[in-house]
Amino acid sequence: MTTTAPSDVRPDPPHSPDDHSLAEFGYRQELHRSLGRYASFAAGFSFISVLTTVFQFFAFGYAFGGPVFFWAWPAVLVGQLLVAACFAELAARYPISGAIYQWSSRLSNPTFGWFAGWIMVIGQIVVVAAAALALQMVLPAIWSGFQLVGTDSAPTSADGAANAAVLGVILLVLTTLVNIMDNRVLSVINRVGVTAEIIGAVLIVVLLLTHSKRSPGITFHTEGAAGSGLLGALLVGSFTAAYVMIGFDSAGEMSEETRDPRRTAPRTILTALGAAGLLGGLVILGGLLAAPSLTDGHLGVDGLSYVLTSSLGDGVGRVLLADVVVAIAVATLAIQTAASRMLFSMARDGGLPFSGRLAHVNPRTGMPSAPALVVGVLSAALLLLNFASPDAFLAIGTTCIVMLYLAYAMVTGPLLIRRLRGEFAAGGTDEKGAKLFSLGRWGIPVNALGLLYGLLMTVNLAWPRAAVYDPTGGHWYFQWFTVLFLAVTLLAGGAYRACRKRTTARSAVPETAVTEAAA
C-alpha cells in the first residue's frame, strides 16, 4: 500500500480470469483492469477528499452552528456508514462501472435504474464544479497573486466568487487532460495525491491539537452561531459533514478497472469512508481548539485557512495549504473520473444521446475520452454561475449533495424491498474463494436505517431556507435552486426518455407496413 508499489499498476496477464468477469452481466471487458487495492481505496478516498471538502465548508458550518456543529459530524458518519455497508454488499455482487445506475436497475427495473443513474451523473457533474471552486478557499491564502479577479478573496464576495470560477476552469482543463490519458497514469496521480493528502491531514491534526487554546468541551457551545437554536445549528451545520462524506461508492464505479473487484471494492468502500470520517472529524476538532478566537468573525468567513496561517505561522501554514491544493486537484480529478464512468456505463446500454461515441473506449489508453470531455465542459459551464452571484457557491455545493443522496436512496430503497421479500440472499464467493461480503441478519435493520437517514437528510439539505441560500435577499432562484435544479433534471430526463421511446416505436414499424403505406 505505497505510492511506488509497481504491483498496483502492472497490467493483467493476457488470459487473466478477470477478462471474463463481465460476461455474466452481458458486457465485454474494454476498460483496462490495472488497479490494485490501494488504487481502489484512493478512488473512494479522493472523491471524499477530507482536506478539500472540510476546508471548503468549515466556514459555512461554523457560521450557522458555532462550535456545536462538530457533533453533526459523527451523526452523518454513522448514517453514511449504514449506506456504505449496503453498497459494499452490492459491489461484491455487481462489480460493474456505473455502480448506482447498475445496482438500481438490477434491484428494481431499467426505467427506475435509468433515472437513478441520470440523477447521479448530473449530481456528479455538479460535484466536480463544487470541488473545483474549493481552490478559492486556499490559493489566495497562500499567495495574493492567485487572486486574479479583484482584491477581495472571500468566496462570498463578488470578486472572490468570480476568481473561484476562473481558478476552477483552469483546474478542469488540467483534470480533463489527465482523464483522457492512460488509466495507469490516472491511478498513479490518484495514489500519490491521496498519500499526500493523508500525510497532510495527519500533520494538520497533530499540529492543531498541539496548538490548542481551549478544551474539547467548547464543542457543546453555540457561540458564534447565526442564532438558529441548537437543532437548527445542527441541521444546517450537518451540511458540512454531508458534503464531505459522499462519493465512497467510487470504488464500485472503478470495479471494471480493479483486479479482484468482488473482494477489493467492498473493503475499500468501507475503509475509504471510515478513514475519511475519522480524519475529517479530527481536523474539525483541531481547528476549533486551535483557532485564535471563536467570536471575531474570521472562522465563519475564512475557515480553516485562517486557523492554519494564524496559529501555525505563515510558513508552516502555507506549506500545509499547498498540500490542500494537491488534495483539491486530485479530488476534482477523481470525481470527474467517477462521472465519466457513469456516463460510459449508461451509454454502453444505449441509454444516452450519442451513446455510441460516449461508450467508445480508446483501446490504447483504456479510457472513455468523450465522457471526460462532456463532464469537464458541463462542469465548467456551471462555474459561470459564480459570475452571477456569490450565492451560487453554496447553491452549487448543496445541490450536488441532494442529487447524490437521492440517487443513493434509489438504490437502498429497492434493496430494502428485495430484502423484505426474501429476494436478496447471501451467497457466492469472491475471486479468492471466500464468501462475498454480506450483512447477514443485520441486512434489514441496517438497510432500513440507512434509507431513512438518507431520505431525512435529503429533505434537510433541499429545504429552501432563505437565511441559508439567499442571505442577501433578492435571489429567489438561489433559495429554490436545489428544488428547481432537481425538477429540471427530472423533466429533462423524462423528456429524453419519451422522445427515445417514440423514436424506437417508429423504427420498429414492420417493413410490410412501410411498403403498403408507400404504395
Side-chain angles (χ1 to χ4, degrees), residues 76-92:
V76 171
L77 176 58
V78 170
Q80 289 295 66
L81 281 172
L82 296 172
V83 177
C86 295
F87 284 6
E89 281 190 308
L90 294 171

Side-chain angles (χ1 to χ4, degrees), residues 36 64 84 137 150 157 164 175 221 227 241 322 442 457 463-464 501 510:
F64 278 91
M137 298 295 296
S157 68
T175 58
H221 296 186
W442 291 98
M457 185 60 76
W463 199 265
K501 187 176 181 180

